[in-house]
Amino acid sequence: DSIAIDLIHGYYATISYTDALVGKILDALKEEGLEKNTIVLLVSDHGYNLQEHTQWAKFTNYNTSTQVPLIIYNPLSKTKGTTNALTSLVDVYPTLVELCELDAPKKQLDGVSLVPVLNDPNSEGKKYVFIKKNNGFTLKTKDFSYTEFIKSRDNSTVARMLYDHRSTKSENINIVHLKEFKSIASELSETLHTA
């Protein structure tokens, strides 16, 4: 337990230090007179487990590892606020391209611009996003997270997980085998294998 406390303390200290550095960057933009024409983007490449699901670090398909902060500040935008729209990090580049009024490479990007979401935070965003970690393949929708662990040798499914994010984001109760979620699990599995 004492090691866990030290690790959690270290993690929060890192977050605090990062927050202070972000403040220094924003102060420097202001000092240079660039705060009114500079888009600021804050993003992380993964979440981090601090003993959730009895795991440490980032090596899972759980929401704690796959959900990351994404903050986009555009000083020219009149819209401000937060959104629960579903998005993916592959959408960052197309978004910056559109905000900067540049030409995007043709047929080379998997992502889509988030400008419609930035203009209307109540919009839905993507219908689903895919996440892959080793042999775990996750399909995330606004309401659910569905994962299949697939054996590469014969493409057989080893295990499945389904979590209802409408009731909890902590993903502690796997509902994939509950009768009332059978059709949802089947639909998400089909989408995972065909999209």
Side-chain angles (χ1 to χ4, degrees), residues 28-167:
L29 285 173
K30 199 174 277 189
E31 287 171 17
E32 296 296 323
L34 298 172
E35 80 278 7
K36 292 185 176 156
N37 67 353
T38 302
I39 296 167
V40 177
L41 182 114
L42 176 72
V43 65
S44 164
D45 70 333
H46 58 77
Y48 204 87
N49 292 298
L50 297 172
Q51 245 178 345
E52 296 91 350
H53 310 288
T54 68
Q55 299 176 351
W56 290 93
K58 59 182 180 175
F59 307 106
T60 72
N61 288 65
Y62 287 112
N63 196 53
T64 48
S65 289
T66 61
Q67 185 169 326
V68 299
L70 175 60
I71 300 170
I72 301 173
Y73 171 70
N74 179 5
L76 304 178
S77 175
K78 293 175 179 39
T79 307
K80 297 190 183 340
T82 62
T83 181
N84 288 321
L86 198 58
T87 185
S88 178
L89 294 183
V90 297
D91 301 328
V92 170
Y93 179 75
T95 303
L96 290 175
V97 165
E98 184 172 347
L99 289 175
C100 295
E101 299 177 358
L102 301 172
D103 293 327
K106 304 291 185 226
K107 299 181 182 180
Q108 293 180 30
L109 302 177
D110 289 331
V112 296
S113 173
L114 297 173
V115 169
V117 174
L118 295 175
N119 291 336
D120 179 12
N122 294 318
S123 63
E124 289 291 315
K126 289 183 168 183
K127 187 174 179 181
Y128 51 78
V129 295
F130 290 102
I131 301 160
K132 180 187 179 301
K133 179 66 187 158
N134 297 329
N135 69 328
F137 298 82
T138 299
L139 177 73
K140 191 173 209 170
T141 69
K142 182 180 171 206
D143 295 329
F144 295 96
S145 179
Y146 175 78
T147 301
E148 288 185 12
F149 295 94
I150 299 174
K151 197 184 301 181
S152 60
R153 192 170 352 132
D154 60 5
N155 285 333
S156 62
T157 301
V158 179
R160 302 182 311 146
M161 301 187 305
L162 176 66
Y163 297 102
D164 187 345
H165 286 182
R166 297 170 303 179
S167 58

Side-chain angles (χ1 to χ4, degrees), residues 6-21:
D6 286 346
L7 291 170
I8 293 168
H9 176 74
Y11 177 82
Y12 286 128
T14 302
I15 298 300
S16 180
Y17 181 61
T18 300
D19 187 51
L21 293 177

